[in-house]
């Protein structure tokens, strides 16, 4: 059970949050211009990394804000949290 | 009756005699006893039958590792509990226990015959034999196995006990209250850290608390006396919370641990009443100290499972802690020094005993002490066989060869009434591995030890492989100072004297002249697996420990192989000729010991099982005989049974009344989202498939919401209240998810939009009145409101006051009838409803529930998201292309509507179905086919909604059928268990295709 440091509320139990999958997948601005394959890339393809992964989380039973998390999936350590729209920390690339 | 209680101890209160029943017979013990110690005091060793061979089995241990003494407690249908370990169960007045694995009774049973046919029951026997013939499984094998397996009985009535949950936060959690745990807790708490110390026993002190050997001393005192003093000290520390009878069940990530506290299990029946039985502690600790100790290993030799054969240290505890001797003529069989402590203790109490030691010689203080007391020691000897059916009465020993691989010389037969075995010690690394820590293997004494930590935790004491007291205390102090970054000097001057073990000899499977195939060398007592089974599994090609474990069922019982895993690994390593450390271990999964369901569930039972949401009109529904349906957490009226009607009759009556005159529905549960902001209409454009910019103020529009994959997600009517203010409705079940989805897009994809979302589902109550007379009823309620089609047409919105309270009125329809939805602040909901009912009396205004609502909308072919859709339906599949804007550049899911898969012609599509026999009502979910002769039968789709329409006087159904759009008029078949139903594909709209009734 993680402890997640919501950038708006502080450290809270995982049960207050819901996970929203991989982060930094931007919805294409012009979906109609895309081929089936390009659209499928956006729609379906997700990484499943053993190691450092960038994820979206929502403080659903708290401030209801979405934010980003850097998590090492091999030991579940959360290395960083940052707000939507902020640049991902470069040292985890 | 024999009495094996031979001396007084401070842990047994002989002034408090306790009577209890075991297998129907009454016995006596004392306050402080466990069921196991009380049984042993009464001379009872035989407590059950083994799982596969039904061999007599006795108490083996004194703790959580017990494989044999498994009991059923109590006999009441609601309070009986299986799988309780007699070694952990504290005795109380009136306790009723019975041995679990012994049908029909413990002294004689049919299963005992398995013992003689055991050559026929090798590893994997159940897999190999009972697989065939298939029909035998259900009728013959399973009932037989269940009957003889004796896995205990579950209660058959709800548990009346109270359970509780508690969340706590600590700086330091110490698991285990032995020497090292007590030292760690004291150091932490004295350094101003908020500390919690838990121990599963009744009192702190571990195995040192009853230590009485003169050669083991701390500061010139017996180690037990020294420790008692320490316990007194820590009880005074204000920073330290001590919880006894509390065991850690699971160690999760981020130092989150679950502990079970036993509060009343040790109390007599009348004192348990109205008290919390067990409490689940949910602990967050900044740092965790694991001091869980170690458990003694059995030895694997022929017939090592007879009653009267125990772990050597358990014999010691029964003697020095409980005052009970396990026999009068005891043999101790060991490969290490610890059995000598037992031997000396027994000797001091006048119990005759001798030692059989695998080692060629040994030279520690303890051994010298035993020798000087004149205790007979057979070095370099091995037990090769034991005798006695219901209890051991003698055994044979032989000399070991130089390499330890064979026995030599003559058999020596020794009589005894009890055998203690000690195969060394296994550190309890369960907590460490559960936390994600890795293990190292130490060859010297063949133990797995904690290695890397992934969490902020540390192991100290014998669970870290430190076995003698000097080592334990010195290392614990050093490690804790470092771990907590403190400089505690309390133990700087502590002077520890203890015997040091110098000699080791470990043999996992002891040699024997008898071929292995003819021996019974048990490894897992609870699941009855032997060394032979492990070897057979290897012979058959199994290599991975996880596979061997499952094939032989070793370590798979309720004790999770606490006594057996190491031996299984050792025998595999020896047989395969590999190093044990390279094999890895099986996974230690939580819980460490079994938990009751009650503890896990806590208070969340009965009406607290889930949140119940009721509308403000709920009371009226109850008073008017509504049957309720659960829709998500909501209680919705399903139908209102009048004068003992059944559901069908009620729904037929309600449906007819709604179309003939007027009906009223509590629609308060529909999700309502208040949407405001200068970009609100642009936002709706992006989330719905149709266009919203041009929706005039005061108008309503139906919208369909998709996922990005193009599949229908939700639907509902949204009203434009003012330029920048909309009220969206969602399905009842979808409300929370729709809000989350909209928030997600707003926060992450379109943060530039000026839009604010607020859930107002609970803030408004809604009465929906439909039917040809609805306008007249509205007119009575709102006499000043112009209800003419010109002023208040279909799909529009007005505000008016009912008395002085503002109402939002929408003229929208889910039934196809002229229909109004009146929304009012929830606190007035019940009044609104009653006023509607009153006003509608002269028009036979009939309250109807969800079932009638579903029927009425099905007559009109309106879909219900989640019933006629299942996350794989596009708008086109639903024949709703009309709602998808061709002009809009983008909306959620648009691009997916022309993926190669979504434009397939042969997708499942929504159609209507009419049965050839108009009285035949289809079953929802029934499969649809066109040809029942060719096998396998090609499934075309299934029925999604089905009703008998009283307004059309025939059965109607909606269904999804492959290529359904092109099949109108085609005959299809619905094969049921006892007949085939013929149907014809029809339009999805069954009634009033021209929508005349909307403006009736
Ligand atoms: Zn938050």
């Amino acid at each position: 059970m993680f402890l997640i440091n919501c950038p708006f509320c502080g450290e809270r139990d995982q049960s207050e949050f819901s996970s929203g999958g991989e982060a930094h997948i931007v919805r294409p601005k012009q979906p109609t211009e895309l081929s089936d394959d390009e659209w499928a890339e956006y729609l379906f393809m997700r990484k499943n990394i053993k190691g450092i992964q960038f994820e979206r989380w929502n403080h659903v039973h708290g401030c209801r804000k979405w934010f980003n998390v850097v998590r090492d999936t091999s030991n579940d350590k959360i290395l960083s949290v940052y707000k939507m729209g902020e640049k991902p920390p470069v040292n985890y690339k | 009756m024999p009495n094996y209680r031979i001396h007084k101890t401070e842990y047994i209160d002989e002034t408090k005699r306790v009577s209890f029943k075991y297998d129907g017979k009454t016995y006596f013990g004392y306050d402080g006893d466990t069921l196991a110690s009380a049984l042993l005091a009464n001379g009872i060793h035989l407590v059950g039958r083994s799982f596969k061979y039904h061999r007599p089995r006795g108490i083996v241990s004194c703790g959580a590792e017990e494989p044999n003494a498994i009991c059923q407690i109590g006999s009441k249908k609601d309070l009986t509990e299986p799988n309780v370990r007699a070694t952990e169960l504290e005795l109380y007045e009136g306790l009723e226990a019975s041995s679990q694995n012994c049908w029909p009774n413990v002294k004689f049973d049919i299963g005992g015959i398995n013992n003689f046919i055991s050559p026929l029951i090798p590893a994997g026997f159940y897999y190999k034999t009972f697989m065939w013939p298939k029909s035998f499984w259900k009728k013959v094998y399973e009932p037989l196995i269940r009957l003889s397996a004796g896995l205990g009985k579950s209660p058959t009535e709800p548990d009346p006990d109270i359970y509780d949950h508690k969340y706590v936060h600590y700086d330091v959690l110490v698991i285990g209250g032995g020497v090292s745990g007590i030292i760690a807790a004291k150091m932490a708490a004295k350094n101003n850290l908020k500390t919690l110390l838990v121990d599963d026993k009744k009192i702190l002190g571990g195995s040192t608390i009853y230590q009485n050997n003169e050669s083991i001393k701390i500061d010139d005192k017996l180690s037990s006396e020294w420790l008692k003093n320490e316990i007194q000290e820590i009880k005074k520390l204000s920073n330290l919370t001590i919880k006894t009878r509390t065991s850690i069940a699971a160690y999760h990530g981020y130092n989150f641990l679950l502990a079970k506290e036993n509060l009343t299990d040790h109390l007599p029946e009348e004192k348990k009443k109205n008290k919390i039985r067990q409490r689940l502690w949910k602990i967050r600790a900044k740092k965790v100290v694991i001091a869980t100790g170690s458990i003694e290993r059995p030895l694997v030799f022929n017939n090592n499972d007879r009653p009267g054969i125990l772990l050597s240290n358990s014999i010691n505890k029964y003697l020095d802690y409980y005052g009970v001797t396990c026999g009068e003529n005891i043999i101790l069989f060991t490969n290490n020094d610890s059995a000598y402590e037992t031997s000396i203790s027994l000797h001091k109490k006048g119990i005759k005993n001798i030692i059989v030691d695998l080692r060629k010689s040994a030279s520690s203080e303890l051994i010298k002490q035993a020798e000087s007391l004149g205790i007979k020691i057979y070095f370099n000897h091995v037990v090769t066989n034991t005798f006695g059916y219901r209890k051991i009465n003698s055994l044979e020993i032989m000399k070991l060869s130089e390499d330890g691989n064979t026995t030599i010389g003559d058999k020596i037969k020794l009589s005894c009434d009890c055998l203690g075995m000690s195969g060394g010690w296994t550190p309890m690394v369960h907590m460490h591995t559960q936390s994600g820590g890795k293990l190292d293997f130490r060859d010297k004494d063949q133990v797995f030890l904690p290695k890397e930590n992934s969490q902020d935790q540390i192991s100290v004491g014998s669970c870290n492989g430190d076995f003698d007291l000097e080592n334990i205390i010195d290392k614990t102090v050093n490690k804790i100072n470092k771990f907590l970054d403190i400089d505690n000097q309390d133990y700087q001057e502590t002077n520890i004297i203890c015997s040091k073990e110098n000699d080791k000899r470990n043999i996992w499977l002891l040699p024997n002249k008898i071929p292995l195939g003819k021996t019974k060398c048990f490894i897992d007592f609870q699941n009855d697996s032997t060394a032979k089974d492990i070897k057979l599994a290897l012979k058959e090609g199994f290599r991975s420990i996880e596979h061997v474990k499952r094939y032989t069922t070793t370590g798979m019982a309720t004790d999770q192989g606490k006594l057996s895993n190491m031996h299984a690994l050792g025998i595999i390593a020896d047989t395969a000729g590999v190093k044990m450390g390279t094999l890895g271990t099986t996974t230690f999964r939580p819980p460490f010991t079994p938990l009751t369901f009650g503890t896990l569930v806590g208070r969340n039972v009965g009406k607290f099982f889930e949140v119940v949401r009721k509308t403000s009109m709920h009371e009226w529904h109850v008073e008017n005989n509504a049957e309720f349906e659960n829709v998500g957490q909501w209680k919705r009226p399903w139908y209102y049974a009048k004068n003992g009607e059944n559901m069908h009759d009620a729904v037929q009556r309600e449906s007819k009344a709604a179309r003939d005159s007027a009906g009223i529905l509590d629609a308060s549960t529909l999700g309502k989202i208040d949407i405001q902001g200068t970009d609100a209409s642009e936002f709706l454009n992006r989330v719905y498939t149709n266009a919203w910019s041009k929706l005039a103020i005061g108008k309503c529009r139906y919208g369909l919401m998709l996922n990005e994959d193009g599949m229908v997600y939700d639907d509902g009517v949204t009203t434009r209240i003012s330029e920048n203010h909309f009220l969206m409705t969602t399905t009842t079940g979808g409300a929370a998810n729709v809000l989350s989805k909209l928030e997600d897009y707003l926060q992450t994809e379109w943060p530039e939009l000026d839009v604010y979302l607020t859930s107002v589902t609970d803030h408004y109550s809604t009465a929906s009145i439909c039917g040809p007379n609805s306008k007249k009823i509205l007119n009575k309620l709102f006499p000043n409101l112009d209800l003419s089609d010109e002023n208040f047409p279909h799909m529009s919105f007005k505000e008016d006051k009912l008395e002085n309270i503002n109402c939002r009125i929408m003229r929208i329809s889910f039934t196809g009838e002229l229909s109004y939805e009146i929304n009012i602040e929830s606190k007035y909901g019940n009044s609104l409803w009653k006023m509607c009912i009153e006003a509608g009396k002269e028009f036979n205004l009939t309250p109807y529930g969800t079932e009638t609502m579903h029927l009425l909308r099905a007559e009109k072919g309106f879909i219900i998201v989640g019933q006629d859709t299942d996350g794989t339906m596009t708008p086109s599949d639903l024949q709703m292309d009309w709602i998808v804007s061709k002009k809009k550049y983008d909306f959620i899911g648009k691009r997916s509507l022309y993926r190669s898969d979504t434009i397939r012609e042969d997708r499942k599509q929504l159609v209507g179905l009419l049965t050839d026999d108009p009285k035949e009502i289809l079953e929802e979910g029934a499969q649809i086919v066109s040809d029942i002769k060719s096998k396998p039968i090609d499934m075309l789709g299934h029925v999604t909604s089905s009703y008998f329409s009283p307004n059309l006087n025939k059965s109607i159904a909606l269904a999804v059928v492959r290529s359904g759009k092109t099949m109108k008029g085609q005959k299809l078949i619905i094969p049921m268990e006892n007949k085939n139903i013929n149907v014809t594909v029809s339009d999805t709209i069954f009634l009033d295709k021209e929508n005349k009734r909307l403006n009736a």
Side-chain angles (χ1 to χ4, degrees):
Chain A
M1 193 81 90
F2 308 168
L3 275 179
I4 300 173
N5 191 12
C6 170
F8 305 92
C9 308
E11 207 164 56
R12 295 286 192 281
D13 193 280
Q14 185 185 347
S15 57
E16 292 185 16
F17 298 84
S18 69
S19 164
E22 191 179 335
H24 302 299
I25 293 175
V26 181
R27 189 174 187 271
K29 285 274 171 281
Q30 298 175 316
T32 46
E33 312 287 305
L34 301 181
S35 68
D36 268 11
D37 283 351
E38 288 166 329
W39 180 246
E41 184 69 30
Y42 160 72
L43 195 57
F44 300 122
M45 304 315 262
R46 296 292 182 272
K47 289 177 197 138
N48 185 14
I49 294 165
K50 183 180 180 185
I52 289 166
Q53 181 162 292
F54 293 74
E55 304 171 333
R56 289 157 20 100
W57 284 79
N58 182 11
H59 195 185
V60 64
H61 299 296
C63 63
R64 293 193 71 87
K65 286 284 193 185
W66 283 90
F67 56 94
N68 296 308
V69 163
V70 186
R71 180 171 68 102
D72 187 336
T73 60
S74 67
N75 58 16
D76 282 341
K77 285 229 163 74
I78 291 174
L79 306 168
S80 177
V81 292
Y82 54 102
K83 292 176 188 172
M84 278 295 154
E86 288 181 355
K87 289 233 164 0
V90 283
N91 41 327
Y92 298 116
K93 273 290 176 185
Chain B
M1 200 168 281
N3 185 12
Y4 288 83
R5 180 118 31 206
I6 57 167
H7 70 107
K8 289 188 194 311
T9 81
E10 61 192 285
Y11 307 107
I12 296 295
D13 185 351
E14 294 205 16
T15 64
K16 289 186 189 147
R17 211 164 84 129
V18 176
S19 79
F20 67 100
K21 269 191 179 164
Y22 184 71
D23 279 342
K25 217 174 144 191
T26 301
Y27 299 92
F28 296 97
Y30 296 106
D31 193 53
D33 266 326
T34 60
L35 175 58
S37 70
L39 287 172
L40 289 169
N42 283 283
I44 295 168
H45 281 259
L46 175 60
V47 287
R49 292 285 176 154
S50 78
F51 183 72
K52 227 155 67 181
Y53 309 116
H54 277 243
R55 286 165 68 99
R57 287 283 165 80
I59 296 162
V60 168
S61 74
C62 57
E65 67 271 37
E66 176 60 35
N68 288 345
I70 310 293
C71 303
Q72 182 91 27
I73 305 302
S75 53
K76 289 186 191 152
K77 281 180 178 166
D78 53 353
L79 277 171
T80 187
E81 185 175 347
N83 295 327
V84 176
R85 290 161 300 284
T87 50
E88 292 191 302
L89 180 69
E90 291 178 40
L91 202 66
Y92 56 84
E93 182 64 38
L95 168 69
E96 270 182 56
S98 50
S99 49
Q100 195 169 288
N101 187 15
C102 60
W103 175 83
N105 73 55
V106 74
K107 296 217 170 113
F108 174 83
D109 65 39
I110 282 166
I113 207 149
N114 285 357
N115 200 8
F116 301 102
I117 59 159
S118 64
L120 305 174
I121 317 182
F125 172 67
Y126 290 92
Y127 300 117
K128 286 169 184 161
T129 313
F130 291 148
M131 293 304 288
W132 188 90
K134 216 173 166 185
S135 60
F136 266 46
W137 179 254
K138 212 169 159 189
K139 288 182 185 126
V140 182
Y141 299 141
E142 197 184 330
L144 250 176
I145 293 169
R146 285 202 182 282
L147 196 58
S148 56
L151 296 172
K153 288 188 203 85
S154 299
T156 52
E157 284 175 14
D159 186 346
D161 280 327
I162 309 164
Y163 301 85
D164 197 25
H165 286 185
K166 185 171 181 170
Y167 291 82
V168 291
H169 295 259
Y170 282 92
D171 293 323
V172 180
L173 165 68
V174 181
I175 311 169
V179 180
S180 49
I182 286 166
I183 291 172
K186 181 172 159 188
M187 290 172 72
K190 280 185 82 171
N191 207 66
N192 271 332
L193 295 166
K194 195 183 158 204
T195 306
L196 173 64
L197 171 63
V198 300
D199 191 89
D200 60 348
K201 299 278 191 305
K202 178 185 168 188
I203 60 161
L204 296 178
S207 57
T208 307
I209 200 73
Y210 55 88
Q211 223 292 325
N212 66 2
N213 194 293
E214 295 289 336
S215 70
I216 304 167
K217 284 196 160 179
I218 306 176
D219 290 343
D220 265 350
K221 288 183 212 147
L222 281 176
S223 57
S224 49
E225 293 306 317
W226 179 85
L227 190 61
K228 278 173 208 163
N229 203 41
E230 285 290 294
I231 293 170
Q232 288 314 311
E233 289 288 306
I234 64 166
K235 282 183 176 164
K236 293 177 201 150
L237 297 172
S238 58
N239 265 337
L240 177 65
T241 308
I242 300 170
K243 281 284 158 194
T244 51
R245 296 188 175 111
T246 303
S247 52
I248 299 290
Y251 192 148
H252 296 294
Y254 287 71
N255 275 352
F256 179 71
L257 297 95
L258 297 178
K260 178 193 73 174
E261 182 186 13
N262 254 330
L263 293 155
T264 64
D265 278 358
H266 58 289
L267 298 177
E269 211 65 46
E270 73 276 7
K271 286 193 181 161
K272 289 185 209 274
K273 271 189 193 129
N274 300 322
K275 285 185 187 149
I276 293 164
R277 181 190 170 200
Q278 289 168 353
R279 177 178 284 134
L280 188 71
W281 288 62
K282 301 182 176 187
I283 307 165
R284 285 271 187 198
K286 291 194 182 113
K287 285 172 176 281
V288 175
V289 177
I290 302 169
T292 45
S294 50
I295 52 175
E296 198 167 19
R297 292 176 187 166
L299 287 162
V300 181
F301 54 92
N302 190 24
N303 290 318
N304 59 344
D305 68 325
R306 296 192 191 282
I309 304 181
L310 293 89
L311 294 169
S312 152
N313 184 257
S314 298
I315 293 175
N316 198 355
K317 181 165 184 181
Y318 284 121
L319 183 71
D320 287 337
Y321 185 95
Y322 298 104
V324 175
T325 185
C326 294
E328 287 161 328
N329 179 18
I330 297 177
I331 296 173
L332 298 165
F333 179 28
T334 185
N335 68 0
N336 68 91
D337 280 7
S338 58
Y340 288 78
E341 276 184 58
T342 307
S343 166
I344 294 160
S345 260
L346 288 166
H347 184 87
K348 274 198 229 162
K349 300 289 176 325
I351 304 295
K352 197 180 131 198
N353 73 92
I354 58 174
I355 295 174
V356 179
D357 196 325
L358 278 182
R359 298 174 295 182
K360 286 167 190 162
S361 66
S363 61
S364 69
E365 279 308 310
L366 274 173
I367 282 140
K368 282 177 201 154
Q369 205 184 340
E371 279 169 338
S372 72
L373 290 170
I375 294 166
K376 169 80 181 156
I377 305 168
Y378 289 92
F379 280 114
N380 200 27
H381 273 72
V382 59
V383 175
T384 53
N385 208 351
T386 69
F387 307 93
Y389 185 60
R390 284 184 197 150
K391 197 178 173 200
I392 187 169
N393 58 28
S394 59
L395 52 76
E396 276 172 3
I397 64 172
M398 285 178 86
K399 210 170 189 167
L400 270 171
S401 65
E402 183 63 26
D403 60 6
N405 288 336
T406 49
T407 52
I408 48 175
D410 294 330
K411 289 176 192 163
I412 306 168
K413 192 152 182 175
L414 303 167
S415 70
C416 64
D417 63 354
C418 173
L419 172 64
M421 49 183 174
S422 178
W425 293 82
T426 299
M428 290 283 88
V429 294
H430 295 64
M431 287 299 133
H432 173 80
T433 54
Q434 275 188 28
S435 85
K438 300 272 183 294
L439 297 174
D440 254 342
F441 189 71
R442 185 167 73 191
D443 278 316
K444 180 182 80 175
D445 46 1
Q446 310 268 295
V447 290
F448 283 102
L449 297 175
K451 190 168 82 175
E452 291 158 22
N453 298 347
S454 60
Q455 302 199 40
D456 206 352
Q457 54 95 331
I458 196 171
S459 293
V460 294
S462 69
C463 73
N464 192 43
D466 302 326
F467 291 117
D468 72 60
L469 206 52
E470 187 181 358
N471 233 333
I472 288 173
I473 295 176
D474 285 353
K475 280 197 174 177
T476 299
V477 171
N478 284 334
K479 286 185 101 172
I480 295 295
N481 266 332
K482 230 168 138 189
F483 180 60
L484 301 178
D485 195 19
I486 58 176
D487 186 23
N488 182 297
Q489 300 288 330
D490 284 359
Y491 301 95
Q492 205 66 11
E493 307 292 315
T494 305
N495 178 32
I496 308 145
I497 300 165
C498 65
S499 173
K500 295 273 180 187
E501 187 175 81
N502 302 317
D503 310 276
K504 302 258 177 217
R505 188 180 204 183
N506 193 64
I507 304 169
W508 290 114
L509 173 57
L510 294 164
N512 208 313
K513 284 271 189 287
I514 311 168
L516 185 66
K518 293 195 171 155
T519 63
K520 279 278 183 304
C521 305
F522 285 95
I523 291 176
D524 185 324
F525 294 101
Q526 205 179 352
N527 262 353
D528 243 10
S529 62
T530 62
K532 184 173 66 186
D533 295 331
I534 303 272
K535 293 234 180 193
L536 182 66
L538 290 167
K539 213 175 187 176
E540 291 184 9
F542 292 92
R543 284 295 173 270
S544 151
I545 173 66
E546 295 287 0
H547 292 157
V548 173
K549 171 179 156 170
R550 279 162 184 78
Y551 191 57
T552 62
T553 70
T554 304
M556 305 275 287
T558 60
D559 63 354
Q560 293 192 57
K562 289 185 180 72
L563 294 181
S564 61
N565 284 335
M566 289 302 289
H567 300 79
L569 270 176
I571 292 168
I572 293 169
D574 288 350
T575 310
V578 297
K579 283 203 152 216
M580 190 155 161
T582 64
L583 279 176
T585 58
T586 58
T587 314
F588 299 103
R589 289 194 177 84
F592 178 68
T593 48
L595 282 176
T596 57
F597 283 111
T599 313
L600 291 172
V601 173
R603 303 263 176 178
N604 304 322
V605 290
K607 60 182 175 180
F608 300 118
F609 180 66
E610 194 176 32
V611 175
V612 172
R613 296 172 83 183
K614 296 173 182 168
T615 74
S616 58
M617 298 134 180
H618 187 82
E619 223 174 287
W620 191 93
H621 305 320
V622 174
E623 284 165 9
N624 287 273
N625 278 333
E627 286 293 326
F628 289 90
E629 180 185 26
N630 294 329
V631 183
Q633 294 164 331
W634 287 105
K635 293 274 173 207
R636 294 198 73 179
W638 194 11
Y639 60 93
Y640 300 81
K642 227 176 170 180
N643 310 323
E645 280 172 321
N646 62 21
M647 176 167 162
H648 178 81
D649 292 345
V651 170
Q652 297 292 306
R653 172 182 54 75
E654 290 171 9
S655 303
K656 203 139 174 39
R659 293 221 191 274
D660 288 350
S661 178
I664 182 167
L665 172 84
D666 180 355
S668 310
T669 63
L670 283 187
K672 295 179 273 291
I673 301 171
D674 186 274
I675 303 175
Q676 301 194 37
T678 52
D679 293 317
S681 69
E682 169 61 19
F683 180 63
L684 290 173
N685 258 335
R686 296 185 190 187
V687 300
Y688 279 130
T689 60
N690 47 352
W692 289 80
S693 323
K694 287 184 188 140
L695 183 69
I697 293 167
K699 296 289 180 195
C700 314
R701 184 164 287 171
Y702 173 78
L704 203 57
M705 198 181 286
L706 310 184
N707 265 330
E708 285 291 14
D709 61 7
M711 304 304 156
V712 171
Y713 183 69
D714 204 78
D715 68 346
V717 170
T718 296
T719 303
R720 189 165 207 166
I721 289 170
S722 67
E723 179 63 26
N724 296 324
H725 187 187
F726 292 79
L727 183 67
M728 173 188 279
T729 61
T730 73
T731 58
T732 298
N737 291 337
V738 169
L739 181 68
S740 285
K741 179 183 158 101
L742 298 184
E743 284 180 331
D744 186 353
Y745 274 92
L746 265 186
Q747 289 180 32
T748 65
E749 296 295 348
W750 310 317
E752 71 281 5
L753 292 185
D754 176 41
V755 175
Y756 301 88
L757 305 174
T758 310
S759 167
V760 292
T761 305
D762 293 294
H763 305 57
Y764 292 99
S765 290
T766 310
S768 173
I769 301 178
C770 76
N773 282 322
S774 56
K775 194 178 278 187
K776 290 175 197 154
I777 297 166
L778 258 282
N779 189 44
K780 282 177 76 182
L781 291 164
F782 302 98
N784 300 323
L785 185 61
D786 179 359
L787 293 168
S788 68
D789 288 348
E790 296 72 43
N791 182 59
F792 197 177
H794 181 55
M795 297 306 268
S796 63
F797 154 79
K798 295 285 174 200
E799 282 183 281
D800 197 5
K801 293 206 189 294
L802 186 64
E803 314 240 307
N804 283 319
I805 311 304
N806 194 49
C807 292
R808 289 170 167 175
I809 308 158
M810 284 87 171
R811 185 174 160 187
I812 51 179
S813 178
F814 191 43
T815 58
E817 294 298 317
L818 171 67
S819 175
Y820 299 90
E821 281 189 14
I822 311 165
N823 292 275
I824 197 163
E825 252 185 85
S826 278
K827 59 181 165 181
Y828 305 114
N830 205 26
S831 306
L832 166 69
W833 182 269
K834 284 180 182 163
M835 289 168 83
C836 292
I837 295 286
E838 191 55 39
K841 257 187 186 154
E842 58 178 298
F843 305 103
N844 184 32
L845 177 64
T846 301
Y848 67 91
T850 50
E851 192 62 20
T852 293
M853 173 186 81
H854 287 179
L855 190 159
L856 293 172
R857 63 87 207 180
E859 290 177 335
K860 284 290 294 174
F862 295 146
I863 59 155
I864 289 185
V865 173
Q867 177 161 343
D868 303 299
T869 73
D870 61 1
T872 66
M873 302 296 285
T874 67
S876 180
D877 296 339
L878 295 166
Q879 306 216 34
M880 289 173 78
D881 304 79
W882 54 270
I883 203 173
V884 180
S885 163
K886 303 272 183 308
K887 288 182 199 144
K888 276 201 298 183
Y889 181 70
D890 191 14
F891 55 83
I892 296 171
K894 178 179 168 97
R895 176 59 186 83
S896 290
L897 295 181
Y898 54 93
R899 288 177 54 238
S900 56
D901 188 58
T902 43
I903 56 172
R904 265 191 304 118
E905 303 269 304
D906 63 345
R907 292 177 62 82
K908 283 187 184 171
Q909 292 149 354
L910 190 76
V911 295
L913 291 182
L914 292 171
T915 47
D916 288 4
D917 172 4
K919 295 266 177 278
E920 182 85 64
I921 306 170
L922 298 174
E923 256 181 51
E924 288 173 1
Q927 292 291 317
I928 302 165
V929 305
S930 62
D931 175 9
I932 48 168
K933 295 204 180 76
S934 63
K935 306 248 163 94
I937 300 178
D938 191 19
M939 302 291 179
L940 299 179
H942 65 274
V943 178
T944 60
S945 297
S946 170
Y947 308 91
F948 186 82
S949 162
N951 299 300
L952 299 160
N953 199 27
K954 64 178 179 188
S955 153
I956 56 167
L958 295 171
V960 292
V961 176
R962 196 196 303 156
S963 304
K965 279 187 203 173
T966 62
M967 295 173 84
K968 204 182 284 183
Q970 207 163 311
K971 295 270 181 196
L972 292 172
I973 302 163
I974 305 207
M976 298 303 290
E977 205 175 356
N978 46 13
K979 62 181 167 187
N980 296 318
I981 302 169
N982 297 312
V983 296
T984 307
V985 178
S986 75
D987 200 81
T988 54
I989 306 170
F990 301 97
L991 180 126
D992 187 28
K993 284 197 176 98
E994 307 77 24
N995 287 332
K996 282 187 189 149
R997 304 180 71 96
L998 284 175
N999 298 305

